[in-house]
Amino acid sequence: HVGRTVAVVGESGSGKSTTARCITGLLPPSQGYIEFNGEALPLDYRKRSKDQLRQVQMIYQMADTALNPRSSIGDIIGRPVQFYSGLTGSAKRKRVEELLAQIELEPGQYIDRLPSELSGGQKQRIGIARVMIVKPRLIVADEAVSALDVSIQAQVLNLLKELQRDSGVAMLFISHD
């Protein structure tokens, strides 16, 4: 449902991340199917349409490993919007700058930086921006704050809540805590 959050909570090894990977098509389920918005999705993400891929996005637990260390923040956030909506050049840069401001990172200070120059919380904000820029209908947040300090966790959770309120995106929030 639009703007709703469902949490999947369980101990390590209980299948939470496997479920997330099945929903996003990164891992085919051993049985059954994945239905989204009344439509059965192809089990392999490579067989999903661009629109199906755009609608279901994932925020990963370890922002360090999810961000290309050789790409600038502007490229990391801009690549999905170019792929899904064809924005290039100044239009793409403008959209990236808008989103950086929305996630509370000053565009002029961050757009040309590399991930290695950012803190863990900033990296996770970039991971959130990378999925939000394509305007998904569902975000699968797989342990999205578990690797962060408690004070940073609260900031990131509040940001997710704010973005959800503003965009209406549904969220599947996976946690062991």
Side-chain angles (χ1 to χ4, degrees):
H1 291 296
V2 174
R4 305 260 329 252
T5 299
V6 173
V8 176
V9 182
E11 54 192 58
S12 294
S14 63
K16 303 179 306 292
S17 292
T18 299
T19 301
R21 288 183 183 96
C22 289
I23 291 168
T24 58
L26 295 174
L27 181 69
S30 55
Q31 293 182 333
Y33 59 95
I34 305 297
E35 189 174 294
F36 180 72
N37 221 24
E39 175 185 1
L41 294 174
L43 299 180
D44 184 337
Y45 78 93
R46 294 171 291 196
K47 295 181 180 173
R48 293 183 183 181
S49 70
K50 264 190 182 183
D51 192 52
Q52 289 170 328
L53 290 169
R54 181 195 61 77
Q55 289 186 55
V56 180
Q57 294 286 311
M58 188 160 165
I59 300 170
Y60 297 93
Q61 176 179 6
M62 300 300 294
D64 279 345
T65 58
L67 304 178
N68 183 339
R70 287 178 250 130
S71 291
S72 71
I73 300 310
D75 287 341
I76 290 169
I77 297 172
R79 193 168 294 123
V81 78
Q82 183 174 344
F83 177 77
Y84 290 112
S85 58
L87 285 180
T88 59
S90 62
K92 178 174 88 171
R93 185 175 177 97
K94 181 180 180 205
R95 180 73 180 112
V96 170
E97 288 172 346
E98 290 169 355
L99 201 53
L100 279 170
Q102 193 175 1
I103 63 164
E104 301 168 3
L105 294 177
E106 175 59 42
Q109 291 182 10
Y110 290 93
I111 201 163
D112 294 319
R113 286 189 181 181
L114 296 173
S116 62
E117 300 173 60
L118 306 180
S119 69
Q122 291 168 333
K123 289 176 188 177
Q124 197 59 289
R125 286 174 184 268
I126 298 305
I128 292 166
R130 182 175 57 189
V131 303
M132 288 302 296
I133 200 161
V134 299
K135 300 179 181 174
R137 297 185 69 195
L138 172 67
I139 292 176
V140 178
D142 187 13
E143 301 274 3
V145 296
S146 65
L148 304 173
D149 292 334
V150 175
S151 62
I152 304 301
Q153 285 181 3
Q155 291 174 16
V156 171
L157 288 172
N158 286 334
L159 174 64
L160 285 169
K161 211 162 123 180
E162 198 175 294
L163 292 170
Q164 184 179 40
R165 184 194 67 229
D166 293 348
S167 70
V169 68
M171 193 172 309
L172 178 63
F173 194 85
I174 295 173
S175 178
H176 67 273
D177 189 7

